[in-house]
Amino acid sequence: MSNYTQIIGIASGILTSSSLVPQLVKIIKEKKAEGISLGMFVVLLIGLGGWVWYGVEKKDIPIIATNCFSFVTNVLILIFSLKYKKKEANK
Amino acid sequence: MSNYTQIIGIASGILTSSSLVPQLVKIIKEKKAEGISLGMFVVLLIGLGGWVWYGVEKKDIPIIATNCFSFVTNVLILIFSLKYKKKEANK
């Protein structure tokens, strides 16, 4: 694999990963999680875990790095969503 | 690459891709796009385009298929979001 391909993978990984961050910031800032489907997040987490596994099998660093980062960001989104959903339910 | 690795990639692709669909359905059903950051979607689309390119360079079918599907789904989310945002602005 050339360095050039590696750079495309890393750049794409940074873009798709960073697109998750505003969602997390928005939930923490507004302290509410409406519009977020929890079922969707569970499916997404299983899928991201699978991609990390796939990356390990293929020894593909951009795939592993991107999906690990996305996995952690989505776990944080899930935790904050559940926290604010619970608070709303208690009102 | 073994068939087993290919299966992990395809299964992960189906999971991460399908997690986008409820978001699209929700926007179309509720005819509103609140909670969706448009700037985030543009960054995501550029990133997904990059992943397709990366998949082509590495001749990696699961990467190409998953990111093409995600790209199309996100373009649809973007189109419907813009449509409903415009309507809300005209109210």
Side-chain angles (χ1 to χ4, degrees):
Chain A
M1 186 174 54
S2 67
N3 278 339
Y4 148 78
T5 311
Q6 195 86 354
I7 289 165
I8 299 168
I10 292 166
S12 307
I14 291 169
L15 291 174
T16 52
S17 299
S18 60
S19 73
L20 281 169
V21 178
Q23 173 105 72
L24 178 60
V25 172
K26 194 175 151 77
I27 292 172
I28 296 173
K29 245 180 168 172
E30 299 184 355
K31 296 204 191 315
K32 59 178 187 178
E34 65 180 37
I36 307 288
S37 154
L38 294 184
M40 183 194 90
F41 266 97
V42 173
V43 172
L44 185 59
L45 286 179
I46 298 168
L48 289 171
W51 278 118
V52 174
W53 185 9
Y54 181 73
V56 170
E57 291 286 339
K58 295 194 77 176
K59 296 179 186 61
D60 189 322
I61 302 297
I63 298 283
I64 299 170
T66 306
N67 289 293
C68 279
F69 181 85
S70 297
F71 189 90
V72 171
T73 311
N74 277 301
V75 166
L76 290 174
I77 290 175
L78 189 63
I79 290 170
F80 281 101
S81 296
L82 287 172
K83 193 180 151 192
Y84 297 134
K85 285 225 169 187
K86 214 179 160 188
K87 270 195 183 161
E88 275 159 37
N90 286 342
K91 262 180 199 164
Chain B
M1 186 173 52
S2 67
N3 278 339
Y4 149 76
T5 312
Q6 196 85 355
I7 289 165
I8 299 168
I10 292 166
S12 307
I14 290 170
L15 291 174
T16 51
S17 300
S18 60
S19 73
L20 281 168
V21 178
Q23 172 106 71
L24 178 59
V25 172
K26 194 175 153 76
I27 293 173
I28 296 172
K29 245 179 168 174
E30 300 184 355
K31 296 206 191 316
K32 59 179 187 178
E34 65 179 38
I36 306 289
S37 154
L38 293 184
M40 184 195 88
F41 266 97
V42 173
V43 172
L44 186 58
L45 286 179
I46 299 168
L48 290 171
W51 277 118
V52 174
W53 186 9
Y54 181 73
V56 170
E57 291 285 339
K58 295 194 77 177
K59 296 180 185 61
D60 189 322
I61 301 297
I63 297 283
I64 298 171
T66 305
N67 289 292
C68 278
F69 181 86
S70 297
F71 189 90
V72 171
T73 311
N74 277 299
V75 166
L76 291 173
I77 290 176
L78 189 62
I79 291 170
F80 281 102
S81 295
L82 286 172
K83 194 180 150 191
Y84 297 133
K85 284 225 170 186
K86 215 179 159 186
K87 271 195 183 163
E88 277 160 33
N90 287 342
K91 261 181 201 165

